[in-house]
mmCIF file of all heavy atoms in Angstrom:
data_model
loop_
_atom_site.group_PDB
_atom_site.id
_atom_site.type_symbol
_atom_site.label_atom_id
_atom_site.label_comp_id
_atom_site.label_asym_id
_atom_site.label_seq_id
_atom_site.Cartn_x
_atom_site.Cartn_y
_atom_site.Cartn_z
ATOM 1 N N GLY A 74 -3.207 -1.690 3.567
ATOM 2 C CA GLY A 74 -3.210 -2.629 2.408
ATOM 3 C C GLY A 74 -4.084 -1.968 1.294
ATOM 4 O O GLY A 74 -4.169 -0.767 1.228
ATOM 5 N N GLY A 75 -4.663 -2.804 0.534
ATOM 6 C CA GLY A 75 -5.470 -2.388 -0.574
ATOM 7 C C GLY A 75 -6.595 -3.307 -0.906
ATOM 8 O O GLY A 75 -6.343 -4.541 -1.003
ATOM 9 N N ILE A 76 -7.767 -2.794 -1.201
ATOM 10 C CA ILE A 76 -8.899 -3.655 -1.614
ATOM 11 C C ILE A 76 -9.401 -3.115 -2.909
ATOM 12 O O ILE A 76 -9.816 -1.895 -3.029
ATOM 13 C CB ILE A 76 -9.989 -3.589 -0.582
ATOM 14 C CG1 ILE A 76 -9.468 -4.250 0.718
ATOM 15 C CG2 ILE A 76 -11.253 -4.435 -1.016
ATOM 16 C CD1 ILE A 76 -10.321 -4.022 1.939
ATOM 17 N N TYR A 77 -9.429 -3.937 -3.959
ATOM 18 C CA TYR A 77 -9.867 -3.463 -5.279
ATOM 19 C C TYR A 77 -11.273 -4.064 -5.504
ATOM 20 O O TYR A 77 -11.481 -5.297 -5.361
ATOM 21 C CB TYR A 77 -8.948 -4.111 -6.344
ATOM 22 C CG TYR A 77 -9.351 -3.679 -7.757
ATOM 23 C CD1 TYR A 77 -9.152 -2.375 -8.200
ATOM 24 C CD2 TYR A 77 -9.817 -4.640 -8.662
ATOM 25 C CE1 TYR A 77 -9.443 -2.050 -9.507
ATOM 26 C CE2 TYR A 77 -10.072 -4.292 -9.986
ATOM 27 C CZ TYR A 77 -9.916 -3.007 -10.420
ATOM 28 O OH TYR A 77 -10.234 -2.652 -11.688
ATOM 29 N N GLY A 78 -12.288 -3.194 -5.683
ATOM 30 C CA GLY A 78 -13.624 -3.649 -5.735
ATOM 31 C C GLY A 78 -14.546 -2.795 -6.565
ATOM 32 O O GLY A 78 -14.203 -1.708 -7.032
ATOM 33 N N GLN A 79 -15.774 -3.329 -6.737
ATOM 34 C CA GLN A 79 -16.801 -2.568 -7.468
ATOM 35 C C GLN A 79 -17.323 -1.369 -6.664
ATOM 36 O O GLN A 79 -17.354 -1.363 -5.466
ATOM 37 C CB GLN A 79 -18.004 -3.513 -7.807
ATOM 38 C CG GLN A 79 -17.565 -4.675 -8.714
ATOM 39 C CD GLN A 79 -18.762 -5.591 -8.837
ATOM 40 O OE1 GLN A 79 -19.285 -6.119 -7.841
ATOM 41 N NE2 GLN A 79 -19.134 -5.983 -10.043
ATOM 42 N N PHE A 80 -17.715 -0.360 -7.465
ATOM 43 C CA PHE A 80 -18.269 0.865 -6.842
ATOM 44 C C PHE A 80 -19.577 1.147 -7.661
ATOM 45 O O PHE A 80 -19.487 1.601 -8.782
ATOM 46 C CB PHE A 80 -17.281 1.966 -6.978
ATOM 47 C CG PHE A 80 -17.394 3.070 -5.941
ATOM 48 C CD1 PHE A 80 -17.525 2.699 -4.590
ATOM 49 C CD2 PHE A 80 -17.370 4.390 -6.270
ATOM 50 C CE1 PHE A 80 -17.575 3.665 -3.615
ATOM 51 C CE2 PHE A 80 -17.426 5.377 -5.345
ATOM 52 C CZ PHE A 80 -17.541 4.971 -3.949
ATOM 53 N N ILE A 81 -20.719 0.789 -7.121
ATOM 54 C CA ILE A 81 -21.958 0.773 -7.882
ATOM 55 C C ILE A 81 -23.018 1.675 -7.298
ATOM 56 O O ILE A 81 -23.258 1.700 -6.164
ATOM 57 C CB ILE A 81 -22.546 -0.707 -7.958
ATOM 58 C CG1 ILE A 81 -21.450 -1.612 -8.586
ATOM 59 C CG2 ILE A 81 -23.777 -0.726 -8.846
ATOM 60 C CD1 ILE A 81 -21.878 -3.086 -8.546
ATOM 61 N N PHE A 82 -23.671 2.479 -8.190
ATOM 62 C CA PHE A 82 -24.751 3.379 -7.770
ATOM 63 C C PHE A 82 -25.929 3.279 -8.769
ATOM 64 O O PHE A 82 -25.683 3.110 -9.969
ATOM 65 C CB PHE A 82 -24.286 4.832 -7.792
ATOM 66 C CG PHE A 82 -23.265 5.165 -6.713
ATOM 67 C CD1 PHE A 82 -21.901 5.065 -6.938
ATOM 68 C CD2 PHE A 82 -23.715 5.558 -5.460
ATOM 69 C CE1 PHE A 82 -21.015 5.359 -5.956
ATOM 70 C CE2 PHE A 82 -22.790 5.872 -4.458
ATOM 71 C CZ PHE A 82 -21.454 5.764 -4.714
ATOM 72 N N ASP A 83 -27.087 3.477 -8.258
ATOM 73 C CA ASP A 83 -28.228 3.861 -9.079
ATOM 74 C C ASP A 83 -28.255 5.362 -9.212
ATOM 75 O O ASP A 83 -28.143 6.057 -8.210
ATOM 76 C CB ASP A 83 -29.570 3.386 -8.471
ATOM 77 C CG ASP A 83 -29.821 1.879 -8.788
ATOM 78 O OD1 ASP A 83 -29.318 1.412 -9.753
ATOM 79 O OD2 ASP A 83 -30.607 1.315 -8.045
ATOM 80 N N ARG A 84 -28.386 5.907 -10.414
ATOM 81 C CA ARG A 84 -28.421 7.351 -10.654
ATOM 82 C C ARG A 84 -29.735 7.745 -11.182
ATOM 83 O O ARG A 84 -30.164 7.286 -12.264
ATOM 84 C CB ARG A 84 -27.296 7.721 -11.629
ATOM 85 C CG ARG A 84 -27.171 9.242 -11.903
ATOM 86 C CD ARG A 84 -26.095 9.428 -12.952
ATOM 87 N NE ARG A 84 -25.806 10.839 -13.183
ATOM 88 C CZ ARG A 84 -25.618 11.386 -14.386
ATOM 89 N NH1 ARG A 84 -25.826 10.707 -15.499
ATOM 90 N NH2 ARG A 84 -25.359 12.664 -14.534
ATOM 91 N N THR A 85 -30.453 8.600 -10.536
ATOM 92 C CA THR A 85 -31.796 9.025 -10.876
ATOM 93 C C THR A 85 -31.773 10.533 -11.219
ATOM 94 O O THR A 85 -31.410 11.404 -10.411
ATOM 95 C CB THR A 85 -32.804 8.718 -9.759
ATOM 96 O OG1 THR A 85 -32.783 7.387 -9.489
ATOM 97 C CG2 THR A 85 -34.231 9.147 -10.187
ATOM 98 N N ILE A 86 -32.230 10.860 -12.414
ATOM 99 C CA ILE A 86 -32.327 12.206 -12.865
ATOM 100 C C ILE A 86 -33.643 12.391 -13.620
ATOM 101 O O ILE A 86 -33.950 11.590 -14.524
ATOM 102 C CB ILE A 86 -31.158 12.650 -13.825
ATOM 103 C CG1 ILE A 86 -29.834 12.625 -12.994
ATOM 104 C CG2 ILE A 86 -31.393 14.030 -14.404
ATOM 105 C CD1 ILE A 86 -28.617 12.995 -13.882
ATOM 106 N N ALA A 87 -34.444 13.372 -13.171
ATOM 107 C CA ALA A 87 -35.719 13.623 -13.812
ATOM 108 C C ALA A 87 -36.593 12.359 -13.953
ATOM 109 O O ALA A 87 -37.271 12.122 -14.870
ATOM 110 C CB ALA A 87 -35.538 14.175 -15.231
ATOM 111 N N GLY A 88 -36.496 11.547 -12.781
ATOM 112 C CA GLY A 88 -37.342 10.370 -12.744
ATOM 113 C C GLY A 88 -36.807 9.138 -13.487
ATOM 114 O O GLY A 88 -37.441 8.059 -13.372
ATOM 115 N N ALA A 89 -35.729 9.302 -14.203
ATOM 116 C CA ALA A 89 -35.121 8.107 -14.938
ATOM 117 C C ALA A 89 -33.945 7.637 -14.185
ATOM 118 O O ALA A 89 -33.090 8.406 -13.820
ATOM 119 C CB ALA A 89 -34.758 8.553 -16.369
ATOM 120 N N THR A 90 -33.883 6.273 -13.966
ATOM 121 C CA THR A 90 -32.793 5.678 -13.229
ATOM 122 C C THR A 90 -31.950 4.827 -14.134
ATOM 123 O O THR A 90 -32.428 3.960 -14.831
ATOM 124 C CB THR A 90 -33.358 4.829 -12.027
ATOM 125 O OG1 THR A 90 -34.098 5.690 -11.217
ATOM 126 C CG2 THR A 90 -32.255 4.183 -11.295
ATOM 127 N N THR A 91 -30.644 4.964 -14.042
ATOM 128 C CA THR A 91 -29.643 4.157 -14.726
ATOM 129 C C THR A 91 -28.636 3.596 -13.676
ATOM 130 O O THR A 91 -28.481 4.163 -12.582
ATOM 131 C CB THR A 91 -28.892 4.904 -15.779
ATOM 132 O OG1 THR A 91 -28.127 5.992 -15.188
ATOM 133 C CG2 THR A 91 -29.817 5.445 -16.839
ATOM 134 N N LEU A 92 -27.967 2.522 -14.007
ATOM 135 C CA LEU A 92 -27.016 1.838 -13.146
ATOM 136 C C LEU A 92 -25.571 2.257 -13.566
ATOM 137 O O LEU A 92 -25.214 2.097 -14.742
ATOM 138 C CB LEU A 92 -27.163 0.305 -13.222
ATOM 139 C CG LEU A 92 -26.250 -0.496 -12.271
ATOM 140 C CD1 LEU A 92 -26.651 -0.266 -10.848
ATOM 141 C CD2 LEU A 92 -26.328 -1.992 -12.636
#
Side-chain angles (χ1 to χ4, degrees):
I76 298 169
Y77 182 70
Q79 295 172 309
F80 209 47
I81 303 176
F82 290 93
D83 279 337
R84 181 184 187 227
T85 302
I86 296 180
T90 299
T91 60
L92 182 69

